Amino acid sequence: MKLLVTLAAALGFALAAPAHAQMVIKFSHVVADNTPKGQAAIKFKELAEKKLPGKVTVQVFPSSQLFGDAKELEALLLGDVQFIAPSLSKFDRYTKKLQVFDLPFLFNDIDAVDRFQSSAQGKGLLESMKSRGLLGLAYWHNGMKELSTDKAQLKRPEDVKGLKFRIQASDVLEAQFRALGANPQKMAFSEVYQALQTGVVNGQENTWSNIYSQKFFEVQKTIAETNHGVIDYMVVTNAKWWDGLPADVKKGLSEAMAEATAYGNKIANDINEGDKKRIADAGKAKIQTLSKEDVAAWRKVMEPVWKKFEADIGTDLIAAAQKANS
Ligand code: LMR
């Protein structure tokens, strides 16, 4: 036996898995490393491995390398990945409640979004998909959305009439673009650059950090600073897997998640502001600022969309979100 063990060691393989085998945890997301979500995921890995030395290894897969929009939620439920952080617009199939985040011009700014997420109603939403096997562990910020197109004129709602827009898989966003008289097309994030480059769509809506890191600004003519909505994330895990974790691992991962959340949410705004400046400096797309009257015009066309989704979302939830503005 001793000879066999020595032989196995010499050949570089183990006879049996050691009792203290490390748990490999996969975290998959769709954006680049140099974004708020990318940075928070890396921080989570560092913290989790520091808090649970020798117990867990966290592998982060950015840029849809492991799973893209179309597959990540299913993969989580199948146990092929343990953490994902989809944008709040991508949970349509699991709950209608999170549609609240997509209502155009609901939140004045990211601070209001943060206040709502920290409220009892906001926290309650983290648990709203448990019956579907999904448990929300945290909200991660990206930022407010801007609108971009391949046209030189982009200031008023009438400028987007008849144009094709890529949207995330959200019925609210679909209704928002229909209200503008535009043609929305649901599409995975990883396909957007090419669709913009080849003219399959004329435009899209996103944060500065996504517009910069995906190079959308190189294939768009104008980016209007509309701030008409938000792109934020819910970090979700497989509820059954989470419930089955040993207590010490769950505690370490919970602490790492809380600290990574605080870190990521603190730097999100700076990353977006820095990327806005980098886009301006590149001089490829024009950044169109809007007057109060311009913003009011966009709001007037988009806001009626709320009515259509009020019943599904719940008026109480919408009221709680509105309260966070003050
Ligand atoms: C998008 O699909 O436009 C974004 O939600 C991607 C992301 O995760 O920020």
Side-chain angles (χ1 to χ4, degrees):
M1 182 65 189
K2 199 165 166 228
L3 185 69
L4 206 62
V5 172
T6 314
L7 196 67
L11 289 173
F13 59 83
L15 282 179
H20 57 275
Q22 279 207 2
M23 185 184 279
V24 176
I25 293 172
K26 293 183 178 155
F27 192 140
S28 171
H29 66 81
V30 302
V31 294
D33 279 337
N34 60 340
T35 59
K37 178 161 61 180
Q39 290 294 300
I42 291 170
K43 181 59 87 180
F44 172 69
K45 168 193 167 64
E46 288 168 6
L47 289 165
E49 291 179 352
K50 202 164 143 206
K51 285 173 192 293
L52 297 162
K55 288 192 177 161
V56 305
T57 300
V58 180
Q59 298 173 343
V60 179
F61 299 90
S63 304
S64 309
Q65 276 166 16
L66 189 62
F67 298 109
D69 282 335
K71 286 268 155 44
E72 63 179 6
L73 277 152
E74 266 169 66
L76 185 76
L77 292 171
L78 288 171
D80 293 335
V81 59
Q82 286 68 45
F83 294 104
I84 58 173
S87 116
L88 293 163
S89 314
K90 294 176 183 169
F91 290 96
D92 252 21
R93 273 184 297 150
Y94 298 90
T95 176
K96 296 291 175 202
K97 299 267 169 210
L98 290 177
Q99 288 182 328
V100 68
F101 288 100
D102 277 344
L103 296 179
F105 290 105
L106 174 57
F107 297 104
N108 289 346
D109 51 31
I110 201 72
D111 291 339
V113 176
D114 191 275
R115 283 192 291 272
F116 175 60
Q117 290 170 347
S118 310
S119 70
Q121 289 93 336
K123 283 190 191 144
L125 291 175
L126 293 170
E127 309 242 329
S128 64
M129 296 177 284
K130 239 187 147 182
S131 63
R132 307 292 305 270
L134 297 173
L135 175 65
L137 296 177
Y139 288 109
W140 283 2
H141 292 326
N142 187 338
M144 302 306 280
K145 283 187 290 192
E146 322 301 351
L147 207 59
S148 73
T149 69
D150 58 1
K151 307 289 177 215
Q153 175 75 19
L154 179 62
K155 204 166 178 351
R156 307 285 284 201
E158 47 274 25
D159 296 332
V160 301
K161 259 203 182 111
L163 298 187
K164 285 181 255 160
F165 282 88
R166 175 270 172 171
I167 55 163
Q168 303 179 73
S170 153
D171 291 347
V172 180
L173 301 181
E174 188 166 42
Q176 172 194 284
F177 279 99
R178 291 226 185 278
L180 288 163
N183 300 313
Q185 199 172 316
K186 291 179 180 172
M187 190 184 290
F189 186 59
S190 59
E191 291 166 23
V192 184
Y193 177 83
Q194 214 190 349
L196 292 171
Q197 191 190 32
T198 55
V200 167
V201 291
N202 302 104
Q204 61 87 47
E205 51 169 18
N206 235 305
T207 58
W208 293 113
S209 64
N210 279 343
I211 295 171
Y212 178 72
S213 59
Q214 298 296 315
K215 299 191 171 32
F216 296 162
F217 70 99
E218 292 185 358
V219 287
Q220 293 280 265
K221 273 217 175 89
T222 313
I223 307 166
E225 210 168 1
T226 47
N227 292 320
H228 61 284
V230 61
I231 290 192
D232 258 23
Y233 310 107
M234 189 186 285
V235 185
V236 283
T237 188
N238 181 315
K240 211 164 145 196
W241 173 79
W242 183 257
D243 287 344
L245 285 176
D248 60 333
V249 174
K250 197 190 276 187
K251 181 167 177 282
L253 293 178
S254 299
E255 287 172 7
M257 184 57 68
E259 289 171 36
T261 299
Y263 171 80
N265 286 354
K266 196 158 164 247
I267 62 171
N269 197 46
D270 284 350
I271 293 179
N272 276 299
E273 285 303 313
D275 287 344
K276 178 183 168 187
K277 188 165 183 314
R278 277 178 273 275
I279 291 168
D281 290 348
K284 292 203 162 144
K286 177 181 78 182
I287 296 179
Q288 177 69 62
T289 52
L290 301 180
S291 68
K292 266 197 177 140
E293 292 72 31
D294 294 330
V295 174
W298 288 95
R299 184 188 273 268
K300 190 164 173 234
V301 184
M302 289 180 173
E303 232 174 42
V305 163
W306 292 23
K307 267 264 156 295
K308 195 167 170 221
F309 297 92
E310 228 169 51
D312 274 348
I313 298 170
T315 46
D316 51 336
L317 209 55
I318 297 174
Q322 280 177 302
K323 213 173 128 203
N325 278 326
S326 48

